[in-house]
Amino acid sequence: MLDSATRPTVTEIDIGTGITEIADKTGVLNFVDRSQTVKTYRFAGSVERIGKTAFYKNDQVENVYLAYGLKSIGNSAFYACKALKRIELPATLESIGDSAFEASGLETVTIPYTMGAVGKTAFARCNSLTSVTVEGGSFDKNVFFRCDYLAEADIDCEVLGERMFAQCKLLEKVTLGDSVKTVGAYAFETDLSLADVTIGENVTWIGSAAFKDCAALEGVTLPEGLTRMDGSVFEGCTALQSIAVPAGVTEGFPLWAAFRNCIALKSADIACPTVGKYCFEGCTALTDVTLREGVQKLEEDAFKGCTALTELSLPDTLTELYETTFWDCDSLAKLTLGAGFTDAHARTLQGAYGLHYVKELEVRPTSTTLKSVDGVVYSIDGKRLVWYPLYREGEEYTVPDGVEHILQSAFWWDSSSMKDVIPPLRVLHLPGSLVYCDSYFYDFDEFLTDIWFDGTEERFLTITYSDEASSKACGLVNAYTRAKQGDDTYDAEYHFTGADNPVDMKGDVNGDGVKNRQDRVYLARALAGWEGYTLPDAAVADVNGDGKVNRQDRVYLARALAGWDDYKL
């Protein structure tokens, strides 16, 4: 073993056959006497190991020739060897220790395909390094971290370590070959010049913030086999203009803040099932969004602050979204609803931040529960008004005859959160067929100047909430009653056109003018022969239409009132 007792005094050293190891911390090759001028070292094939700090801060060495047979290079072995420009790593090399070449003067590096473990910061802060080829290896954190002049990296190892090329501010081009399967977290984070990225077709996992704040990246193609994208993968890529996410991305927290603050992003084509929280938050240039069939969920704040988005079509497969999904999408004027959209979704989005200025709602013909008429959403049978878009053009609207129920989501304006939103609607015509009104009219009444009801005042006053537990008058009627009593908070004038329109009251077995839980109870007691409960006429009690009034009608009525499909009154 070569040790400090045999320090050479020449300018070139051959470490010959027979020497198998350069011991740790011997100082043999880390000359204390800086007058030494040894610039070149040649290692024979018998040397299998170069120990820790063997060349530590040796600012004289320029050339090191490593022979086939070398198996390991220890921690900090060539740390801060500023004059060392080039080194060839033999195919027999199995491991490179932590900081082995950190802050050295290397200009180019090739990691052989036979390489095993490469320690953290092994080549970090090599500020003369301009190109890197990685053929193989297993990498710890920060291996090439802050190599300020690195311009190009050709990578074909299976897994890129965490922060492997992070903060390489002049790195322009990266090619991930077919052997690459995983891109580690923060792998290229804050590579400000990175404009050209090729991702191999076998990449299945891109870790958190892998390309975060790559401000020059304009476009990237994601492979069809990709199954996992962790949080903030492309967040802050301020030059990124378009992206397409394949259907297979289902693992982890899909698309969580994936493109947040990509302020140049104009086009997004999404095929994966979930669009995660904050996915497109702050994408102020986003105008073209395609949500493919297969998209099932839009999470909270997914499109928050997409102020240029004017139109969006929801796929039939979408079944889950949130009140804040479209927060501050103040230009969104048209929303197309798919077959998976329901009354419950409408209630979720009522008054939702970002949908204040929607002018038109359209329901795809594939829906079996809803339909749209002139930009307003109704139940498929036309009996329920589900959603009136708050900013629909026109000062006057007539609810069609036959509508029996105005849902809570239909007319919504909240003075506390929507004070800057002024709906155009001023005159509302309501049909005499109306029985239930759940919509909260107290605040909306502030903008209405006239409400017309196609019936008598007496009939109007029978309109109630549909809530089975409530028999009190609805907000619409209460607003009228208070205005009539002199409450100047409610400015709308109410008009009644005269005779009541005939109303189909099949199911109103107790004859109180409404169809609710009390009718089911009444029918059950009448069928059971309770005193004071007279079996009603078939015109209202034969709800299943079989010509008889019996237990089957009680079951049918219960299911119809509960909203079961195929059970209609």
Side-chain angles (χ1 to χ4, degrees):
M1 179 183 293
L2 188 65
D3 58 31
S4 57
T6 57
R7 287 180 182 165
T9 57
V10 293
T11 61
E12 186 172 316
I13 295 178
D14 290 338
I15 300 177
T17 303
I19 297 176
T20 61
E21 179 181 7
I22 308 300
D24 293 344
K25 302 180 181 179
T26 60
V28 173
L29 306 175
N30 177 18
F31 292 96
V32 176
D33 183 359
R34 292 304 177 188
S35 65
Q36 299 291 341
T37 58
V38 178
K39 298 183 181 299
T40 301
Y41 292 85
R42 292 184 178 87
F43 288 83
S46 61
V47 177
E48 296 182 352
R49 175 178 178 270
I50 297 175
K52 298 177 182 178
T53 66
F55 288 82
Y56 183 81
K57 290 189 176 180
N58 187 326
D59 55 9
Q60 303 296 321
V61 61
E62 296 178 358
N63 305 294
V64 174
Y65 299 94
L66 304 175
Y68 188 90
L70 182 67
K71 293 183 179 180
S72 69
I73 298 174
N75 295 350
S76 303
F78 295 90
Y79 180 90
C81 292
K82 300 293 186 182
L84 181 62
K85 302 299 181 185
R86 181 171 180 161
I87 194 167
E88 288 192 20
L89 303 176
T92 54
L93 192 60
E94 297 174 355
S95 66
I96 297 175
D98 296 349
S99 303
F101 294 92
E102 182 177 355
S104 69
L106 289 176
E107 295 177 349
T108 181
V109 168
T110 297
I111 308 291
Y113 73 94
T114 54
M115 175 61 66
V118 180
K120 57 180 176 287
T121 66
F123 297 90
R125 298 189 299 119
C126 290
N127 289 335
S128 296
L129 192 63
T130 59
S131 67
V132 168
T133 300
V134 178
E135 298 173 354
S138 174
F139 298 88
D140 206 330
K141 299 178 181 179
N142 301 303
V143 172
F144 293 95
F145 178 74
R146 291 191 65 178
C147 291
D148 286 346
Y149 290 91
L150 181 62
E152 185 173 351
D154 192 346
I155 305 162
D156 212 20
C157 61
E158 188 169 316
V159 178
L160 276 68
E162 185 176 332
R163 297 185 186 274
M164 188 165 173
F165 291 91
Q167 298 185 35
C168 296
K169 62 184 180 182
L170 295 183
L171 182 61
E172 296 178 351
K173 182 178 181 181
V174 167
T175 302
L176 303 180
D178 290 340
S179 297
V180 180
K181 295 181 180 179
T182 300
V183 180
Y186 301 93
F188 300 96
E189 179 251 347
T190 321
D191 289 351
L192 299 179
S193 301
L194 185 58
D196 185 353
V197 174
T198 301
I199 299 179
E201 62 181 14
N202 294 319
V203 172
T204 60
W205 183 355
I206 302 178
S208 299
F211 295 93
K212 186 176 184 287
D213 294 330
C214 291
L217 186 62
E218 294 184 4
V220 64
T221 300
L222 301 177
E224 286 298 319
L226 188 65
T227 61
R228 179 166 179 167
M229 286 177 63
D230 290 339
S232 302
V233 170
F234 293 97
E235 180 178 350
C237 292
T238 53
L240 189 66
Q241 296 187 26
S242 64
I243 195 68
V245 180
V249 178
T250 59
E251 300 176 15
F253 297 92
L255 304 192
W256 194 95
F259 308 101
R260 181 159 55 183
N261 295 330
C262 292
I263 58 175
L265 187 66
K266 297 178 181 178
S267 173
D269 189 334
I270 308 298
C272 62
T274 299
V275 179
K277 291 182 180 181
Y278 319 112
C279 179
F280 295 101
E281 180 185 1
C283 294
T284 53
L286 188 62
T287 57
D288 182 10
V289 174
T290 300
L291 299 176
R292 300 284 179 181
E293 293 300 328
V295 175
Q296 301 171 15
K297 182 179 182 180
L298 306 179
E299 291 191 340
E300 295 99 320
D301 304 319
F303 292 91
K304 182 179 180 180
C306 294
T307 53
L309 188 62
T310 60
E311 186 174 340
L312 186 65
S313 180
L314 305 181
D316 289 342
T317 51
L318 183 69
T319 58
E320 189 172 349
L321 70 171
Y322 296 84
E323 182 181 0
T324 62
T325 294
F326 303 103
W327 189 300
D328 289 340
C329 293
D330 289 342
S331 297
L332 189 57
K334 181 178 180 181
L335 192 62
T336 299
L337 313 177
F341 197 90
T342 65
D343 294 359
H345 294 125
R347 287 193 293 273
T348 296
L349 296 180
Q350 64 180 15
Y353 303 101
L355 297 182
H356 299 164
Y357 297 99
V358 170
K359 296 180 179 180
E360 180 181 0
L361 296 166
E362 181 178 335
V363 179
R364 286 214 193 94
T366 51
S367 177
T368 60
T369 59
L370 301 177
K371 66 180 180 180
S372 52
V373 180
D374 296 330
V376 181
V377 179
Y378 291 87
S379 60
I380 198 71
D381 61 7
K383 293 184 177 181
R384 289 175 294 135
L385 197 168
V386 176
W387 191 358
Y388 180 92
L390 193 62
Y391 230 64
R392 184 180 184 274
E393 294 181 349
E395 295 187 352
E396 189 167 352
Y397 183 70
T398 299
V399 178
D401 289 338
V403 172
E404 299 176 359
H405 188 179
I406 296 178
L407 271 62
Q408 184 178 4
S409 54
F411 296 94
W412 179 268
W413 185 87
D414 181 5
S415 60
S416 63
S417 63
M418 303 165 66
K419 59 183 179 181
D420 296 327
V421 181
I422 309 299
L425 185 63
R426 295 294 178 269
V427 180
L428 180 63
H429 295 264
L430 300 174
S433 56
L434 188 62
V435 178
Y436 306 116
C437 183
D438 296 336
S439 194
Y440 194 69
F441 268 89
Y442 288 122
D443 286 334
F444 203 89
D445 182 81
E446 180 176 334
F447 303 102
L448 294 175
T449 59
D450 295 272
I451 295 176
W452 291 81
F453 179 69
D454 193 11
T456 64
E457 179 183 16
E458 182 180 6
R459 171 68 183 81
F460 177 80
L461 293 173
T462 67
I463 299 171
T464 67
Y465 291 120
S466 65
D467 185 354
E468 294 180 356
S470 173
S471 60
K472 61 185 178 182
C474 66
L476 175 67
V477 173
N478 281 339
Y480 167 69
T481 302
R482 293 184 184 185
K484 191 174 181 180
Q485 292 172 349
D487 188 340
D488 59 6
T489 304
Y490 307 102
D491 298 327
E493 292 193 15
Y494 289 75
H495 310 272
F496 305 98
T497 59
D500 293 327
N501 288 349
V503 179
D504 180 9
M505 293 308 295
K506 180 175 286 189
D508 179 23
V509 295
N510 65 359
D512 66 353
V514 294
K515 292 174 277 189
N516 55 25
R517 177 178 175 274
Q518 282 71 32
D519 294 295
R520 178 172 61 81
V521 173
Y522 188 99
L523 182 58
R525 292 175 179 177
L527 289 169
W530 283 37
E531 185 178 352
Y533 289 83
T534 304
L535 194 65
D537 188 272
V540 294
D542 179 21
V543 291
N544 66 357
D546 65 356
K548 305 175 183 178
V549 179
N550 53 26
R551 178 179 177 277
Q552 282 71 33
D553 292 294
R554 179 176 63 81
V555 173
Y556 189 102
L557 180 60
R559 292 175 178 177
L561 291 171
W564 285 36
D565 291 341
D566 301 325
Y567 288 82
K568 307 296 181 184
L569 293 176

